[in-house]
Amino acid sequence: MQQDKILILDFGSQVTQLIARRVREAHVYCELHSFDMPLDDIKAFNPKGIILSGGPNSVYESDYQADVGLFELGVPVLGICYGMQFMAHHLGGEVSAGNQREFGYAQVNTFDSELTRGIEDAPNSLDVWMSHGDKVSKLPHHFKIIGETPSCPIAMMANENKHFYGIQFHPEVTHTKQGKALLNRFVLDICGAKPSWTMPNYIDEAVAKIREQVGSDEVILGLSGGVDSSVAAALIHRAIGDQLTCVFVDHGLLRLNEADNVMQMFANNLGVKVIHVDASEQFMAKLAGVTDPEQKRKIIGAEFIEVFDAEEKKLTNAKWLAQGTIYPDVIESAGAKTKKAHAIKSHHNVGGLPENMKLKLLEPLRDLFKDEVRELGVALGLPREMVYRHPFPGPGLGVRILGEVKREYADLLRRADDIFIEELRQFKDENGTSWYDLTSQAFAVFLPVKSVGVMGDGRTYDYVVALRAVVTSDFMTAHWAELPYALLGKVSNRIINEIKGINRVVYDVSGKPPATIEWE
């Protein structure tokens, strides 16, 4: 790759991958590697700059130590939180446990520097998000303070001769208002990286890599109809054409009319061979009596592989299973290269695959974020309504039915979900934009509890559904969508009146974190 590159060394923070996303947003290529990446590999990577991530450990008692030779490479270095402490600890400063830990909002007073010049929320002030206990208590040699808070006198530091910078807060999270501007300043101005990383440029590179990996083998792709698998199908088809066979599995947990819509969409838009497999009875039988969310995900993942294995036997040269795995899937399953983050939940396409799987994995979107996947889809010529469709989990309604999955529950839920999405598409804001486009993901959740209601003059005792709608730019953090009451009221009224078996609708107002976007 001839593009300018930024190297991110991961010390175990849950939000390290957001740094990568912010760098990519600046159209600069970056890779995330473990903190213990050998110095020779760092040199071979030839980065324009290095970013040291945050992490949960104390630098003075941890074995999470990078090769300090990175400070001798002559490239700019930005240390974030633990990364700043690592920089101070190894360059002549001191780090100690803070008397007062800082978690959440803080206001940093800033002083003039190459990093902060012209970037502020108020005069000489930044609104930031802190998450630390330890702090730098003594500056390293040849550093100066460029930011402070009352409880953290060295909140930002700089050695501007060497272009070394340390910041105690997290610029990668959206809670730090000027975080993107600070990272852009470091990447584009201080490192001098050229913003040449774009999806149209990426296509040729990705196509060449797929051809090299696959050769003359046949590939099976698990097609869900969602954004990720659709874009993966288009990209792989661009690379190897008829060597690709898509397998669309109806596991009985799809959205309303999903199977018909997906088959029609791909016949019209991709010209790809698609095999439709109705395996709903197989999946439902395996899920009977299972209530644990992790177990459900793993069962669904394993059953997918069973289906693919069966289809593979029908293809003479099938060697590869292609999936639409993207970066957030890998992150939340602690499946990133570093293996240092704590697992939040498994994803069927990265956490539920059996060790004895016969097919090799082809995951061309594995290092892309959701917005990059959408950009790639447009660049590949896919229609907007396909590319900007809300995400749908691989396990489908299986993780939107709390507790045991039953066909009765799935039938009720898919109808409720369809009403919700239909009204979101029809309801517009004052600018004429649909609330479907204003939200990043929206769906209904089936709650396996009953509540008392009244319909006409009769008592009812029926099920409850929850509506969930979020707004997010990266799916790593999310805010609940403030939908108009009139919209929520209409959705609730339609669901209760049109679906016998549901008599109560509630709305989820939880953010991510502390909640996840999906309920399971």
Side-chain angles (χ1 to χ4, degrees):
M1 183 179 294
Q2 301 302 313
Q3 302 182 60
D4 289 345
K5 297 173 287 188
I6 298 294
L7 174 64
I8 303 165
L9 294 183
D10 181 17
F11 288 92
S13 167
Q14 286 286 0
V15 293
T16 297
Q17 289 80 5
L18 287 181
I19 304 172
R21 189 181 181 281
R22 302 297 173 237
V23 175
R24 299 274 189 89
E25 285 177 347
H27 298 296
V28 174
Y29 183 76
C30 64
E31 286 187 13
L32 191 151
H33 289 268
S34 176
F35 64 88
D36 54 2
M37 184 179 186
L39 187 62
D40 286 344
D41 291 349
I42 295 176
K43 291 177 180 178
F45 186 76
N46 192 29
K48 294 286 287 186
I50 299 173
I51 299 177
L52 310 176
S53 85
N57 299 285
S58 293
V59 70
Y60 44 80
E61 59 184 24
S62 170
D63 59 357
Y64 276 45
Q65 306 291 334
D67 192 315
V68 295
L70 66 88
F71 294 116
E72 305 299 325
L73 298 179
V75 300
V77 180
L78 173 65
I80 297 173
C81 197
Y82 180 95
M84 171 183 177
Q85 296 164 15
F86 173 84
M87 180 183 289
H89 184 66
H90 289 285
L91 294 180
E94 292 180 4
V95 178
S96 59
N99 295 324
Q100 180 179 341
R101 303 199 304 172
E102 284 187 301
F103 294 98
Y105 168 80
Q107 191 172 63
V108 175
N109 295 321
T110 60
F111 308 106
D112 184 65
S113 73
E114 191 176 0
L115 182 65
T116 60
R117 194 168 298 134
I119 300 174
E120 57 189 13
D121 292 300
N124 303 315
S125 177
L126 290 170
D127 295 331
V128 305
W129 189 71
M130 291 277 195
S131 180
H132 70 100
D134 295 347
K135 62 184 179 181
V136 176
S137 52
K138 177 185 174 184
L139 281 173
H141 302 308
H142 310 299
F143 277 71
K144 66 179 181 179
I145 296 173
I146 61 171
E148 64 180 6
T149 72
S151 60
C152 186
I154 309 177
M156 303 177 73
M157 65 183 192
N159 178 337
E160 301 208 278
N161 289 331
K162 291 194 172 183
H163 303 298
F164 291 168
Y165 298 88
I167 54 179
Q168 190 56 70
F169 55 87
H170 289 267
E172 65 271 32
V173 300
T174 54
H175 303 70
T176 298
K177 296 179 182 178
Q178 299 297 331
K180 184 175 180 179
L182 287 170
L183 286 170
N184 282 357
R185 174 65 55 78
F186 177 75
V187 169
L188 299 175
D189 299 334
I190 294 172
C191 296
K194 296 182 179 65
S196 59
W197 168 253
T198 64
M199 288 303 101
N201 292 342
Y202 174 70
I203 290 175
D204 290 342
E205 186 177 311
V207 163
K209 183 177 180 181
I210 292 168
R211 287 173 179 165
E212 181 182 355
Q213 274 186 281
V214 171
S216 60
D217 296 339
E218 291 185 19
V219 176
I220 301 176
L221 182 139
L223 185 62
S224 71
V227 177
D228 304 331
S229 64
S230 299
V231 174
L235 180 60
I236 296 169
H237 187 252
R238 173 79 65 94
I240 61 173
D242 292 342
Q243 292 168 242
L244 171 67
T245 298
C246 292
V247 179
F248 178 70
V249 179
D250 184 349
H251 48 24
L253 299 168
L254 299 172
R255 291 172 283 200
L256 192 66
N257 301 321
E258 182 84 355
D260 292 341
N261 292 339
V262 167
M263 295 299 291
Q264 180 69 18
M265 186 189 311
F266 279 85
N268 288 343
N269 293 305
L270 283 179
V272 177
K273 178 183 176 184
V274 183
I275 298 172
H276 181 194
V277 181
D278 185 351
S280 56
E281 293 295 334
Q282 178 180 337
F283 277 85
M284 287 296 179
K286 291 282 188 175
L287 290 167
V290 178
T291 59
D292 180 72
E294 283 295 281
Q295 193 177 354
K296 286 195 293 186
R297 285 177 176 272
K298 285 180 166 56
I299 287 171
I300 292 170
E303 285 306 302
F304 267 112
I305 301 305
E306 289 296 322
V307 173
F308 290 131
D309 273 350
E311 293 302 321
E312 176 257 341
K313 292 180 174 63
K314 302 174 186 177
L315 299 173
T316 59
N317 199 28
K319 298 290 194 304
W320 297 85
L321 167 64
Q323 296 191 126
T325 307
I326 65 172
Y327 221 172
D329 299 336
V330 177
I331 296 162
E332 291 200 335
S333 299
K337 297 174 184 177
T338 64
K339 305 293 184 184
K340 303 299 180 184
H342 297 285
I344 297 171
K345 61 184 178 183
S346 66
H347 290 258
H348 80 279
N349 51 349
V350 288
L353 299 178
E355 294 181 3
N356 62 349
M357 189 180 70
K358 300 170 186 175
L359 301 173
K360 293 179 284 186
L361 278 179
L362 178 64
E363 297 176 316
L365 311 181
R366 188 180 177 88
D367 293 326
L368 300 183
F369 289 98
K370 179 69 72 172
D371 56 330
E372 292 177 318
V373 172
R374 295 190 196 280
E375 290 176 26
L376 178 59
V378 172
L380 286 165
L382 294 178
R384 189 185 187 281
E385 60 269 21
M386 178 193 293
V387 173
Y388 284 91
R389 195 179 188 196
H390 285 186
F392 188 64
L397 302 182
V399 292
R400 294 178 180 175
I401 297 171
L402 302 195
E404 184 180 4
V405 176
K406 297 182 179 180
R407 190 176 292 277
E408 172 200 359
Y409 298 167
D411 290 341
L412 291 171
L413 179 57
R414 78 177 97 249
R415 292 172 62 198
D417 186 79
D418 187 64
I419 289 172
F420 187 25
I421 298 303
E422 181 183 332
E423 291 300 333
L424 282 170
R425 290 188 184 279
Q426 293 181 0
F427 213 92
K428 306 289 199 302
D429 73 350
E430 63 274 9
N431 298 316
T433 305
S434 78
W435 276 95
Y436 183 86
D437 289 333
L438 291 169
T439 55
S440 307
Q441 189 170 2
F443 53 91
V445 179
F446 182 86
L447 309 184
V449 295
K450 288 187 174 183
S451 71
V452 174
V454 178
M455 290 187 181
D457 295 323
R459 175 186 185 273
T460 62
Y461 190 56
D462 289 328
Y463 291 109
V464 181
V465 294
L467 305 180
R468 177 73 156 148
V470 298
V471 177
T472 176
S473 59
D474 51 33
F475 290 86
M476 296 296 295
T477 61
H479 299 283
W480 62 274
E482 298 184 29
L483 301 181
Y485 290 158
L487 169 57
L488 289 172
K490 186 175 182 183
V491 172
S492 175
N493 190 57
R494 282 194 61 192
I495 289 174
I496 292 170
N497 280 286
E498 296 177 25
I499 306 175
K500 185 178 181 180
I502 298 173
N503 71 353
R504 192 175 298 271
V505 176
V506 299
Y507 188 55
D508 182 350
V509 292
S510 310
K512 177 186 178 180
T516 53
I517 294 176
E518 297 288 348
W519 276 44
E520 289 193 341

